[in-house]
Amino acid sequence: MTTLKTAVVGVGYLGKFHAQKYAQLPASQLIGVCDTNQEVARTIAEEHGVSVFNDYHDLIGKVDAVSIVVPTQKHYEVAKTFLDNGVHVLLEKPITSTLEQGRELVELAERNNLKFQIGHLERFNPAVMALENVLVEPLFIESHRIAPFNPRGADVNVILDLMIHDIDIILDFVGSPIKAIHASGVPVLSDETDVANVRLEFENGCVANVTASRISMKSERRMRIFQSDAYITIDFQNKQLGIHRKGKGEMYPGVAEIDSEEHAFDQGDALLSEIGAFLQAINTDARPVINGADGLRALETAFEINRQLSEN
């Protein structure tokens, strides 16, 4: 596998972990980091023995691929610069601040034959990845993602902060266009919506009931999936998967017994897997696991939810 020259733009709370993973991976030669906070950038650069760049434009011509971990409002201008100049991009979620910006980046990546991956990290959760040969055709999905308030994500509402993870996963699981959306939510601790419930109705008949809150006293990330042959539970936080199917016996007359299997996975390193998959997609010229079109589809859904919330 070719070793790619890499860099991270934005090495705050999340970006510093991107830098760590690029420094670990054999397919990566981390050459530098860039951040508007020079003191933070120097600290991370010294940790990995790489260069500090004061301006991300200075990375052009020096790198093959970058992670962009800057505020959402900066996603478009930073990603466009690299995609315009032949650099593969891993961009944190959500893809952009507007649909127009997202569409332009997707088209630009396609036109320049570049890999453009969106950082929907939960897709690399081992409990999700283990569903590949289990998930058939979901009929009903129920999702809860709740967390204590964290000002780090308060630049966007709970839909773009938390729920977008589940939106992306559900869209991928169902694989059918959305027919209708019904959303409700309220602000509590911030000026933006902090708790919301959304019902997604798909053209194939599947229904998803999705709840997200960032004003809880605890953290919980769970999803329940019902399909014709199984009831599936995913605990994203604890990396656990439950699969429950009809057995051959009966627990009551005419009612099948339930055969259950529980799987617990090592905590693993989803971010390392995500970045490793990005580099592999470049080296093998494969479609990224979550490409720009996937990120745009999740954003379109989130924006329709936000439109309804603002009207209500």
Side-chain angles (χ1 to χ4, degrees):
M1 185 174 285
T2 302
T3 300
L4 302 165
K5 293 181 179 179
T6 61
V8 180
V9 180
V11 284
Y13 175 78
L14 181 56
K16 68 182 179 184
F17 296 116
H18 277 251
Q20 288 176 6
K21 308 314 172 189
Y22 279 111
Q24 291 176 28
L25 286 162
S28 162
Q29 179 190 352
L30 181 68
I31 65 129
V33 297
C34 178
D35 198 283
T36 54
N37 186 324
Q38 290 299 293
E39 184 176 347
V40 167
R42 277 195 299 271
T43 299
I44 303 301
E46 289 172 3
E47 179 181 339
H48 301 295
V50 299
S51 301
V52 176
F53 289 82
N54 298 325
D55 185 335
Y56 64 86
H57 293 87
D58 295 335
L59 287 164
I60 301 301
K62 298 182 177 68
V63 292
D64 302 303
V66 294
S67 268
I68 298 173
V69 198
V70 300
T72 304
Q73 294 81 358
K74 296 287 187 181
H75 281 190
Y76 169 74
E77 65 179 78
V78 180
K80 184 176 185 300
T81 297
F82 287 104
L83 292 173
D84 265 333
N85 288 277
V87 179
H88 304 282
V89 170
L90 170 54
L91 179 63
E92 267 304 325
K93 62 84 186 168
I95 181 172
T96 45
S97 297
T98 72
L99 294 177
E100 293 74 16
Q101 291 175 346
R103 292 187 189 106
E104 185 177 338
L105 293 184
V106 170
E107 292 169 0
L108 182 59
E110 291 177 352
R111 188 164 62 246
N112 290 343
N113 195 29
L114 294 167
K115 304 307 173 187
F116 182 34
Q117 182 169 310
I118 309 303
H120 286 286
L121 188 62
E122 205 74 279
R123 290 257 214 122
F124 292 90
N125 189 304
V128 174
M129 298 175 74
L131 283 174
E132 184 176 356
N133 297 316
V134 176
L135 201 67
V136 180
E137 186 176 347
L139 302 173
F140 183 81
I141 298 174
E142 187 173 36
S143 172
H144 288 84
R145 185 173 295 262
I146 62 176
F149 187 80
N150 186 340
R152 185 169 52 84
D155 60 325
V156 293
N157 68 13
V158 73
I159 307 302
L160 291 172
D161 183 20
L162 298 181
M163 188 183 285
I164 197 164
H165 286 290
D166 300 305
I167 292 169
D168 169 67
I169 289 170
I170 290 168
L171 292 175
D172 182 59
F173 282 176
V174 177
S176 173
I178 293 175
K179 180 174 68 175
I181 296 175
H182 307 280
S184 60
V186 292
V188 179
L189 292 178
S190 73
D191 295 331
E192 301 278 359
T193 301
D194 293 316
V195 57
N197 176 259
V198 176
R199 178 182 171 92
L200 302 174
E201 298 177 6
F202 293 87
E203 290 184 2
N204 68 354
C206 182
V207 172
N209 187 41
V210 191
T211 299
S213 169
R214 58 184 182 188
I215 52 171
S216 175
M217 299 304 292
K218 64 176 182 178
S219 293
E220 182 178 296
R221 311 196 310 268
R222 294 179 182 270
M223 188 175 289
R224 298 169 179 84
I225 304 166
F226 299 83
Q227 59 187 35
S228 60
D229 70 334
Y231 160 46
I232 301 164
T233 61
I234 306 172
D235 183 337
F236 297 100
Q237 186 166 295
N238 296 308
K239 311 293 192 296
Q240 295 175 347
L241 175 66
I243 304 170
H244 314 277
R245 303 181 188 272
K246 294 178 184 177
K248 294 181 179 178
E250 294 182 337
M251 60 178 166
Y252 302 108
V255 179
E257 67 179 358
I258 303 299
D259 292 337
S260 297
E261 53 183 280
E262 302 286 343
H263 303 273
F265 301 91
D266 292 337
Q267 285 299 306
D269 193 330
L271 184 58
L272 187 70
S273 297
E274 177 183 71
I275 294 173
F278 171 55
L279 298 176
Q280 184 176 18
I282 297 169
N283 267 317
T284 60
D285 194 24
R287 180 192 187 278
V289 176
I290 308 103
N291 69 5
D294 295 329
L296 184 60
R297 181 178 57 173
L299 188 67
E300 287 173 338
T301 306
F303 276 8
E304 174 57 25
I305 292 169
N306 282 341
R307 185 190 67 78
Q308 291 192 21
L309 292 176
S310 63
E311 289 182 353
N312 296 336

